[in-house]
């Protein structure tokens, strides 16, 4: 397949981003604008991919708003998660051929094991240019094949949300059949965690502020549902459901606003997989005493390596119905700003996708 055009459209911030921390001046995703750039030629070890779909993460929104510190970068192309089609390969590339359907790993240099300072520098849409573009080169080693039963839109949800959930549940200490998993919310990571936990034989307790969202969680296999608006002390309800024992594992996406209740909800010797910071709240250090007294393992999860991506694909292929990605809404490429706004509204269940090409 030949490259169909000489230029590619991509989105960049209108203004130069300042040095940012979580407490510095906040930016806005509304500064994105569409520009043109030459279609890149792949290096010897690279693959040129025509991007068909991009899924949004809360991280993408946080970077755009200036509340996620990525250092000092000007005009960085946003977004980390994509699915696309190989249209050209470098001269040294043997594994991939034109027409292959692929996703890139979130950190292109994180191939196996724990993340390192060097692998983190290769994070897409953060420390390196992202994927909200029509064409992009990727290191051949960073790519994985898309399951045949998934569309490009569905596959675009896998690199961050799905792999993070997989690593949280099936990383160093895999979830076991019969264990109980508490999943906070119904965003992308949480929905995948629900699906992977069910596929692994675990019992899932799901929380949400919406009964309508909880109905979707129930259809996906959640056995117990808690509306935290109606039940503010949801940790007490978790303990009631588990007969006072607490859950084996918590998928913690809230941060300071929810972590104390997550600590309250987990059993002695259980684990809390810390992934996000979407919940508002000042938080407190008082929870540290029960962390120690209950011997809780609190583990930060930063996506995962290519090796785990391959393992996750095998799980998805083994359970194609129960692990199919949940997509809330798909926006065309020209409506990237509207896609960010929909993510910001937090009305979605599962993933928000931008369809880059048909």
């Amino acid at each position: 397949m030949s490259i169909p055009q000489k230029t590619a459209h991509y989105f960049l911030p209108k203004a130069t981003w300042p040095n940012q921390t979580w407490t510095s001046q906040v930016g806005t995703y509304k500064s994105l604008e569409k520009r043109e750039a030459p279609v890149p030629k792949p290096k010897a070890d690279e693959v040129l991919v025509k991007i068909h779909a991009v899924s949004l993460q809360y991280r993408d929104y946080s970077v755009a708003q200036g509340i996620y510190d990525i250092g000092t970068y000007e005009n960085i192309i946003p977004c980390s998660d994509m699915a696309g089609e190989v249209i050209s390969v470098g001269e040294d590339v043997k594994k991939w051929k034109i027409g292959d359907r692929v996703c890139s790993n979130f950190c292109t240099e994180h191939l196996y094991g724990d993340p390192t300072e060097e692998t983190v520098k290769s994070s897409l849409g953060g420390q390196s240019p992202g994927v909200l573009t029509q064409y992009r080169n990727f290191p051949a080693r960073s790519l994985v094949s898309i399951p045949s039963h998934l569309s490009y839109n569905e596959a675009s949800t896998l690199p961050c949300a799905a792999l993070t959930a997989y690593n949280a549940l099936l990383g160093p200490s895999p979830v076991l059949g019969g264990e109980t998993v508490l999943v906070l919310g119904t965003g992308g990571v949480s929905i995948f965690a629900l699906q992977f936990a069910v596929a692994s034989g675990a019992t899932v307790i799901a929380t949400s502020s919406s009964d309508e969202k909880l109905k979707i969680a129930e259809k996906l296999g959640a056995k117990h549902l808690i509306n935290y608006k109606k039940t503010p002390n949801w940790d007490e309800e978790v303990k009631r459901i588990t007969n006072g024992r607490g859950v084996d594992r918590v998928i913690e996406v809230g941060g300071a606003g929810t972590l104390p209740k997550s600590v309250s909800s987990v059993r002695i010797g259980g684990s809390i997989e810390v992934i996000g910071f979407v919940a508002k709240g000042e938080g407190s250090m008082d929870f540290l005493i029960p962390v120690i007294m209950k011997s809780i393992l609190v583990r930060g999860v930063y996506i995962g390596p290519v090796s785990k991506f391959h393992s996750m694909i095998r799980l998805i292929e083994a359970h194609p119905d129960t692990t199919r990605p949940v997509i809330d809404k798909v926006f065309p490429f020209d409506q990237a700003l509207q896609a960010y706004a929909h993510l910001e509204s937090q009305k979605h269940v599962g993933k928000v996708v931008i369809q880059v090409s048909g």
Side-chain angles (χ1 to χ4, degrees), residues 255-313:
T258 55
L259 189 53
K261 282 187 170 63
S262 291
V263 170
S264 174
S265 299
V266 74
R267 68 169 172 83
I268 293 175
S271 66
I272 299 175
E273 313 294 327
V274 181
I275 294 160
F277 47 90
V278 299
K280 299 295 187 293
E282 296 298 324
S284 167
M285 299 303 286
D286 293 343
F287 68 87
L288 284 179
I289 293 176
V291 166
I292 296 169
M293 296 296 292
K294 294 172 72 174
S295 299
I296 297 169
L297 171 64
V298 179
R299 173 177 172 249
V301 181
Y302 190 65
I303 326 298
V306 173
S307 60
K308 273 195 172 57
F309 205 148
H310 287 297
S311 298
M312 180 186 71
I313 293 297

Side-chain angles (χ1 to χ4, degrees), residues 212-273:
E212 292 303 310
K213 291 181 178 181
L214 287 172
K215 288 178 182 177
I216 296 174
E218 186 175 30
K219 290 181 180 178
L220 294 171
K223 290 292 180 65
H224 304 281
L225 311 171
I226 303 174
N227 185 320
Y228 59 78
K229 286 283 183 68
K230 297 178 179 178
T231 309
N233 295 326
W234 48 266
D235 55 324
E236 296 299 324
E237 179 64 9
V238 169
K239 285 186 282 190
R240 186 195 68 78
I241 291 170
T242 58
N243 296 317
R245 178 176 182 268
V247 297
D248 296 284
R249 192 175 313 227
V250 181
I251 304 301
E252 169 55 72
V253 299
T258 55
L259 189 53
K261 282 187 170 63
S262 291
V263 170
S264 174
S265 299
V266 74
R267 68 169 172 83
I268 293 175
S271 66
I272 299 175
E273 313 294 327

Side-chain angles (χ1 to χ4, degrees), residues 44-353:
D45 62 345
E46 291 182 334
V47 172
L48 177 61
V49 176
K50 177 182 180 181
I51 295 177
H52 284 261
V54 168
S55 69
L56 289 181
Q57 316 299 327
Y58 184 75
R59 171 185 181 263
D60 301 322
Y61 170 78
S62 300
V63 168
Q65 296 298 95
I67 56 177
Y68 192 110
D69 181 17
I70 61 169
T72 304
Y73 291 93
E74 297 181 0
N75 295 331
I76 191 168
I77 300 172
C79 301
S80 61
D81 288 21
M82 53 68 66
E85 173 189 4
V86 174
I87 61 171
S88 182
V89 298
E91 59 188 23
D92 293 341
V93 175
K94 306 301 181 185
K95 180 177 180 180
W96 303 108
K97 64 182 185 302
I98 292 172
D100 284 344
R101 302 190 325 139
V102 296
C103 290
S104 172
N105 202 47
F106 177 90
C107 290
T108 57
E109 296 303 318
H110 191 188
L111 305 184
Y112 51 85
D114 294 328
T116 66
E117 185 176 349
E118 291 305 312
T119 64
V120 168
K121 288 178 182 178
S122 68
S123 66
L124 297 169
Q127 285 79 358
S128 67
V131 298
L132 194 56
T133 179
Q134 291 175 320
Y135 302 94
R136 193 191 190 285
N137 285 325
F138 298 92
R141 58 189 173 274
S142 73
L143 300 176
V144 299
S145 294
I146 294 172
S148 60
H149 68 286
L150 296 184
S151 68
Y152 283 117
N153 286 344
E154 291 171 323
S156 73
T157 69
L158 301 181
C160 183
L163 188 55
T164 298
Y166 181 87
N167 193 2
L169 289 167
L170 295 151
S173 177
V175 65
L176 301 176
E179 290 189 337
T180 304
V181 176
L182 172 62
V183 173
L184 303 187
T186 52
V189 173
S190 297
I191 288 294
F192 272 118
L194 191 169
Q195 292 174 297
F196 292 156
V198 170
S200 301
T203 298
V204 176
I205 302 172
T207 73
S208 176
S209 62
S210 163
D211 287 339
E212 292 303 310
K213 291 181 178 181
L214 287 172
K215 288 178 182 177
I216 296 174
E218 186 175 30
K219 290 181 180 178
L220 294 171
K223 290 292 180 65
H224 304 281
L225 311 171
I226 303 174
N227 185 320
Y228 59 78
K229 286 283 183 68
K230 297 178 179 178
T231 309
N233 295 326
W234 48 266
D235 55 324
E236 296 299 324
E237 179 64 9
V238 169
K239 285 186 282 190
R240 186 195 68 78
I241 291 170
T242 58
N243 296 317
R245 178 176 182 268
V247 297
D248 296 284
R249 192 175 313 227
V250 181
I251 304 301
E252 169 55 72
V253 299
T258 55
L259 189 53
K261 282 187 170 63
S262 291
V263 170
S264 174
S265 299
V266 74
R267 68 169 172 83
I268 293 175
S271 66
I272 299 175
E273 313 294 327
V274 181
I275 294 160
F277 47 90
V278 299
K280 299 295 187 293
E282 296 298 324
S284 167
M285 299 303 286
D286 293 343
F287 68 87
L288 284 179
I289 293 176
V291 166
I292 296 169
M293 296 296 292
K294 294 172 72 174
S295 299
I296 297 169
L297 171 64
V298 179
R299 173 177 172 249
V301 181
Y302 190 65
I303 326 298
V306 173
S307 60
K308 273 195 172 57
F309 205 148
H310 287 297
S311 298
M312 180 186 71
I313 293 297
R314 290 194 292 271
L315 176 65
I316 291 172
E317 290 176 332
H319 301 272
D321 296 326
T322 56
T323 61
R324 184 175 288 276
V326 175
I327 296 177
D328 185 89
K329 193 169 183 179
V330 178
F331 292 82
F333 187 60
D334 289 340
Q335 293 182 15
L337 292 177
Q338 291 90 324
Y340 271 82
H342 187 60
L343 183 75
E344 181 182 45
S345 74
Q346 295 190 11
K347 295 179 180 178
H348 60 288
V349 174
K351 299 300 297 177
V352 178
V353 171

